[in-house]
Amino acid sequence: MVKNCDLYRNKTILAPMVRVGTLPMRLLAVRYGADLVYCEEIIDFKILKSNRVENTALGTVDFVLSDGTIIFRTLPEEKENLIFQIGTADAKRALKAAQKIQDLVSGVDVNMGCPKEFSIKGGMGAALLTQPEKIKEILTTLVDGLSIPVTCKIRVLPDFEDTLKLAKLIEGTGVSALGVHGRTKEERPRHTNRNDVIKKIADTLSIPVIANGGSKEIKVFEDIAVFKQATGCSSAMIARAAEWNPTIFRSEGKLPLLEVVKEYVKAAIEWDNNWVNTKYCVLQMMHDNMLDYQEGELTQASTSMEDISDIWGLKDYYLKVKDNLSRKHADEESREMVTIETKEDGGYRICMPLRFEKKDFSSKISPKLKLFEWTKSKNLSKPVYNTTERCEDRNFNSVLHLNNNEFTTPYWEKSKQLAEQASAAVATTVLEIMDGRLDDSSEQLEKCRVQWMGLNFDKSLMNLDDGNKDDSIKGENSDISMEVKRKCDGNIDENTKRLCTYQEAS
């Protein structure tokens, strides 16, 4: 069954454009009236190599490569408007990459029309146009494997019948819509867009066809309707006309260029956009008019985000936002450290940046269960969990009480169970209780253990030992302690090495 074709009907859309379709431009396009926005094409390999990071300072979700490069940044608020375009030449790889992001977007689009050399050499983009079986495999795999709509974007072939045959094959895969650029892969913007070919395709298919390639014809908002009529499509995808001035989507008419560029720079500041990308987008927006304005010449010579902000009269705003982000990042870093506080009643509150991951534990064994068994063997009162639900997002944080001591994490979890297991994991880590974890412990746990040992805290101060001997806790000579010390030898990341160095210095 085809998923949600209506998502693509009667829409005006920001086209996927390399280096342009980043978060600031997408947000502006929606603000000015775009119904859907496509991100720039992102290659499947990059998504698979990246780490998904919750950027709490910005409130975004970032996909970050090992060198720190952010390849995709999105806000939860843009999900209903956002389509993710993927570059791929392999069905299985495409599915794995798309599954990694599908909860953040409303649809996935496969690029089958990019004529750029890097794309074609990789067997992607327009290289797929002459490989119908591979197209069928990629799209069918994605349609069957994803919970959100799948589309693709093509260019026309030199022969109309070949183009129509390809369009019908694509429709048969179960995609929700088809984007068609009315030029061949050899043609460029100076060539006429084949609106008549797009119209014949739209008249033939039952799924929505999205017309693309009409930026030469679109100068004002009203021209979008004319382009739709010429192509027989209810939806139009705008590229260069939107790149030059995203207020093309405003039904009230376009705003002055310099005003729009300033709004773009402001958005780039707010969302911590890379200054190189910001500079590129500003110059693309000004394109032929670049040298007509002093701001254009100065932007050409800029070498930092501060430079760009100053040129556009936003330096004070930039410094304010930068200072605010720096403080948020500092707060976030402090949340990633193990802390000990002395309570008024003489007990201790220990907080560790540790999360409970079910995959790290054997079946039917958990930190809560092991901690309960340990307290029973020690003739101690059973653990008490004080769990709080946060109203705004219904997430949970738990504080575990054991005698006069408290164990917790800085995180808010999606369920009460996860929050309580996390606080129990803090206690089992502190008390060196074998809590059922699998041998291949997480990097997160190892960092917490090393940090904890570096604090040289005397656990006997917590008054949790009734004098009974128990093999599960043996202080510095325990199996856990020896394992942590062994891991300080060298096969760990730089952060952990620094913690080990700190421990030895202590």
Side-chain angles (χ1 to χ4, degrees):
M1 180 178 177
V2 178
K3 301 183 185 80
N4 196 10
C5 284
D6 288 341
L7 178 66
Y8 302 93
R9 295 190 197 277
N10 301 305
K11 298 295 192 295
T12 305
I13 303 166
L14 176 70
M17 292 178 280
V18 174
R19 298 178 70 184
V20 174
T22 48
L23 182 59
M25 184 63 78
R26 299 197 305 264
L27 293 177
L28 278 194
V30 171
R31 182 191 303 174
Y32 294 133
D35 299 303
L36 296 175
V37 290
Y38 283 52
C39 72
E40 61 177 332
E41 176 195 24
I42 299 177
I43 309 303
D44 52 11
F45 278 119
K46 285 192 174 182
I47 283 292
L48 292 174
K49 287 180 179 179
S50 66
N51 291 316
R52 175 171 168 160
V53 178
E54 303 287 335
N55 188 330
T56 55
L58 285 175
T60 59
V61 179
D62 301 342
F63 287 79
V64 187
L65 297 178
S66 58
D67 64 358
T69 301
I70 298 170
I71 60 168
F72 179 54
R73 168 171 284 168
T74 180
L75 268 176
E77 291 81 358
E78 70 165 343
K79 177 180 177 178
E80 66 179 30
N81 305 104
L82 179 58
I83 308 299
F84 183 90
Q85 189 182 68
I86 189 170
T88 187
D90 182 88
K92 292 181 180 178
R93 194 167 63 237
L95 180 59
K96 286 182 181 178
Q99 286 174 333
K100 198 170 176 180
I101 55 87
Q102 69 172 329
D103 64 312
L104 299 170
V105 300
S106 286
V108 168
D109 182 80
V110 181
N111 185 345
M112 296 185 174
C114 179
K116 301 291 185 182
E117 185 178 5
F118 82 89
S119 190
I120 291 177
K121 279 189 174 181
M124 302 176 292
L128 293 169
L129 293 174
T130 55
Q131 302 181 67
E133 288 307 310
K134 180 169 282 191
I135 286 178
K136 184 177 180 180
E137 181 188 10
I138 290 172
L139 293 178
T140 302
T141 300
L142 288 172
V143 168
D144 292 343
L146 298 179
S147 60
I148 56 177
V150 175
T151 61
C152 73
K153 182 172 177 286
I154 65 170
R155 283 183 171 238
V156 299
L157 298 168
D159 181 79
F160 168 70
E161 292 301 327
D162 289 340
T163 305
L164 191 59
K165 184 179 178 180
L166 177 63
K168 288 179 178 178
L169 178 145
I170 290 171
E171 181 181 38
T173 65
V175 296
S176 301
L178 172 64
V180 182
H181 185 121
R183 296 183 180 86
T184 66
K185 67 181 179 68
E186 291 81 17
E187 292 177 330
R188 293 298 176 263
R190 67 179 180 274
H191 295 100
T192 301
N193 200 54
R194 292 176 171 83
N195 292 346
D196 58 327
V197 173
I198 298 176
K199 188 176 189 305
K200 289 176 183 178
I201 295 172
D203 290 344
T204 303
L205 302 189
S206 59
I207 60 173
V209 173
I210 304 167
N212 181 228
S215 283
K216 282 177 66 176
E217 309 163 40
I218 298 172
K219 307 298 182 185
V220 294
F221 177 80
E222 289 74 18
D223 292 338
I224 298 174
V226 175
F227 179 60
K228 288 180 180 180
Q229 185 175 14
T231 57
C233 298
S234 68
S235 296
M237 179 179 282
I238 317 300
R240 286 177 303 127
E243 174 186 42
W244 295 336
N245 192 331
T247 61
I248 191 70
F249 296 109
R250 285 182 85 241
S251 59
E252 304 88 347
K254 289 196 294 186
L255 296 172
L257 177 63
L258 294 188
E259 180 181 330
V260 179
V261 174
K262 186 171 182 178
E263 282 302 303
Y264 170 79
V265 173
K266 188 175 181 182
I269 292 169
E270 289 171 354
W271 301 109
D272 199 22
N273 199 51
N274 178 287
W275 79 268
V276 175
N277 179 254
T278 301
K279 176 179 177 176
Y280 175 84
C281 290
V282 168
L283 296 179
Q284 291 301 111
M285 291 171 76
M286 303 190 79
H287 63 292
D288 293 340
N289 301 311
M290 189 186 309
L291 299 181
D292 294 341
Y293 300 99
Q294 182 183 19
E295 291 89 345
E297 292 187 63
L298 292 172
T299 300
Q300 275 191 310
S302 64
T303 59
S304 68
M305 196 67 190
E306 186 170 348
D307 283 351
I308 297 171
S309 303
D310 194 21
I311 292 164
W312 293 94
L314 292 166
K315 184 172 181 179
D316 288 344
Y317 184 71
Y318 166 76
L319 294 174
K320 179 180 177 182
V321 171
K322 183 180 179 183
D323 180 63
N324 187 41
L325 282 177
S326 296
R327 283 189 279 105
K328 286 184 177 180
H329 283 307
D331 290 343
E332 183 64 23
E333 288 176 4
S334 68
R335 293 174 70 236
E336 296 301 314
M337 299 297 292
V338 176
T339 60
I340 306 173
E341 298 177 21
T342 303
K343 299 167 59 195
E344 291 183 1
D345 60 8
Y348 296 89
R349 180 185 176 92
I350 299 170
C351 182
M352 281 189 177
L354 190 59
R355 282 196 151 106
F356 172 75
E357 299 284 351
K358 193 172 182 179
K359 63 179 176 59
D360 292 340
F361 291 84
S362 303
S363 178
K364 298 181 180 179
I365 298 178
S366 70
K368 283 185 71 173
L369 175 61
K370 287 305 216 176
L371 183 63
F372 175 77
E373 291 175 348
W374 183 83
T375 55
K376 190 174 181 181
S377 73
K378 293 286 186 179
N379 296 319
L380 297 172
S381 298
K382 67 179 182 179
V384 175
Y385 296 87
N386 182 8
T387 305
T388 303
E389 181 180 5
R390 190 164 59 186
C391 295
E392 56 264 35
D393 57 11
R394 303 195 67 182
N395 284 350
F396 298 84
N397 178 268
S398 183
V399 178
L400 163 62
H401 298 264
L402 200 54
N403 283 12
N404 293 333
N405 303 288
E406 297 176 354
F407 304 85
T408 190
T409 80
Y411 304 127
W412 290 83
E413 306 292 353
K414 293 181 179 179
S415 73
K416 181 173 181 284
Q417 180 186 23
L418 288 174
E420 292 182 353
Q421 290 287 8
S423 63
V426 173
T428 57
T429 302
V430 169
L431 300 171
E432 299 182 39
I433 298 169
M434 304 300 291
D435 59 6
R437 286 181 185 270
L438 300 176
D439 291 338
D440 187 15
S441 298
S442 69
E443 181 180 327
Q444 181 189 46
L445 175 63
E446 292 305 324
K447 287 181 178 180
C448 285
R449 283 176 173 171
V450 172
Q451 282 190 46
W452 174 250
M453 290 180 65
L455 295 174
N456 288 326
F457 180 74
D458 184 355
K459 294 188 294 293
S460 66
L461 297 174
M462 292 188 287
N463 297 317
L464 290 174
D465 194 340
D466 67 348
N468 294 339
K469 292 183 179 180
D470 189 289
D471 290 336
S472 66
I473 177 167
K474 302 176 185 176
E476 293 182 359
N477 295 319
S478 72
D479 291 339
I480 293 177
S481 292
M482 297 303 292
E483 178 68 8
V484 173
K485 290 174 182 176
R486 182 184 67 78
K487 291 197 176 191
C488 289
D489 282 341
N491 295 324
I492 49 178
D493 62 33
E494 291 301 318
N495 287 332
T496 307
K497 285 180 182 178
R498 285 195 291 270
L499 288 167
C500 291
T501 302
Y502 168 76
Q503 178 192 348
E504 291 170 0
S506 300

